[in-house]
Amino acid sequence: ILVLRNPRFRQGAQELRALWTLFWVDREEWRKRGERVVREKTQGADLRARTPDELGDTPKPGRRGGTLAERFAELRRHPIAQVLSEMYLEGNLELTEAGERVARAASMYLDLKEGRGWAQDADVVQSVEIRNRMQRFRAKAQWLSIGPDLSLRADRAVLTSCEYDDPHYVIETHDLRMKPPRREGSKSFFVHAKDNALRFGESVAMPLPPLLAGNDENGYPFIGDLNFGN
């Protein structure tokens, strides 16, 4: 096991921070190439791994950033990820994009080879395009599962568009699923929630129908059965 204190992981405009990180070292991969990979891909006493962007490599013509799922798959193919096969992060876990916080959690586990994991006490802020406007939704869950395509799922969660820590209304759901954008350049997540109830403050919860929002394969936004494309 490799233990890091106050780690920072960066990929493009995204940065992940925590107080502690534990990596499980794949014994067979370490025997084959571990020492060479760590020596070639890192530098200095703080174990800094440099990406091609940081090294100043010129992007190849026509190369794009890709979707979130594609960038996550690229990260998992990194030589270091082949040696350090699993990771556990704990303490003030925070994910930012261009300096803006988009998620936080108390702890997180991720199997880098399988691409699956979970987050505890998760608080995720994502955008959904509704009527040609980006609306920010906040989802909180005690346990949130993570899929290989960065899809998120929770058996119990609360949703709100209120940005206060103590929102004036929430949608309580017993089945929440969130999928990242399928189109490159899009920031609109697909959100599906069922077994829902609307609650204002401490009032009685009112049942709600299933919630379905996101973009279709043509990039048109929709809410439920309503589509805002041509």
Side-chain angles (χ1 to χ4, degrees):
I1 294 179
L2 174 65
V3 181
L4 301 180
R5 183 180 180 184
N6 296 325
R8 291 192 303 169
F9 307 93
R10 283 190 289 183
Q11 185 184 37
Q14 294 183 327
E15 181 172 276
L16 178 63
R17 298 187 180 191
L19 294 181
W20 294 94
T21 298
L22 279 69
F23 285 101
W24 278 261
V25 179
D26 187 303
R27 182 176 299 178
E28 295 302 320
E29 289 292 334
W30 177 264
R31 286 175 177 174
K32 288 190 295 185
R33 56 177 180 170
E35 185 177 355
R36 176 179 56 82
V37 166
V38 172
R39 185 175 62 250
E40 292 179 355
K41 300 297 181 180
T42 63
Q43 67 172 17
D46 58 352
L47 193 60
R48 174 180 171 82
R50 305 191 65 173
T51 65
D53 290 340
E54 292 178 302
L55 292 172
D57 291 357
T58 302
K60 297 179 181 179
R63 191 180 75 179
R64 297 182 178 182
T67 64
L68 281 174
E70 290 171 344
R71 296 205 301 268
F72 182 51
E74 179 183 353
L75 176 65
R76 289 170 51 208
R77 290 193 298 267
H78 192 281
I80 289 183
Q82 301 302 309
V83 177
L84 307 178
S85 57
E86 301 171 71
M87 65 185 299
Y88 172 76
L89 302 95
E90 184 175 281
N92 295 334
L93 199 65
E94 186 175 82
L95 175 65
T96 61
E97 184 168 0
E100 184 176 1
R101 190 181 70 202
V102 295
R104 61 184 176 184
S107 60
M108 183 180 74
Y109 166 81
L110 191 62
D111 185 321
L112 294 175
K113 290 192 174 182
E114 296 293 332
R116 301 182 184 276
W118 51 260
Q120 182 183 14
D121 293 334
D123 185 350
V124 180
V125 179
Q126 295 295 348
S127 298
V128 176
E129 186 175 353
I130 300 176
R131 298 184 180 181
N132 297 320
R133 292 184 58 187
M134 298 301 292
Q135 301 287 338
R136 291 170 63 85
F137 279 85
R138 187 175 181 182
K140 289 186 175 184
Q142 185 176 3
W143 292 100
L144 194 66
S145 65
I146 304 171
D149 60 348
L150 285 185
S151 59
L152 308 174
R153 183 173 181 177
D155 291 334
R156 297 179 63 90
V158 294
L159 295 170
T160 184
S161 60
C162 180
E163 297 185 358
Y164 294 108
D165 288 334
D166 187 15
H168 61 278
Y169 87 94
V170 296
I171 297 175
E172 300 172 344
T173 178
H174 287 77
D175 188 353
L176 172 65
R177 305 184 187 192
M178 301 175 64
K179 293 185 178 181
R182 294 174 291 181
R183 296 168 60 88
E184 185 176 343
S186 173
K187 293 186 177 181
S188 179
F189 267 61
F190 173 86
V191 178
H192 179 213
K194 62 182 181 180
D195 297 332
N196 306 323
L198 176 64
R199 188 185 300 274
F200 291 93
E202 300 298 328
S203 64
V204 177
M206 297 180 292
L208 285 179
L211 170 66
L212 191 66
N215 285 31
D216 64 16
E217 62 274 9
N218 297 314
Y220 296 130
F222 64 83
I223 306 177
D225 294 328
L226 301 178
N227 188 291
F228 301 97
N230 293 330

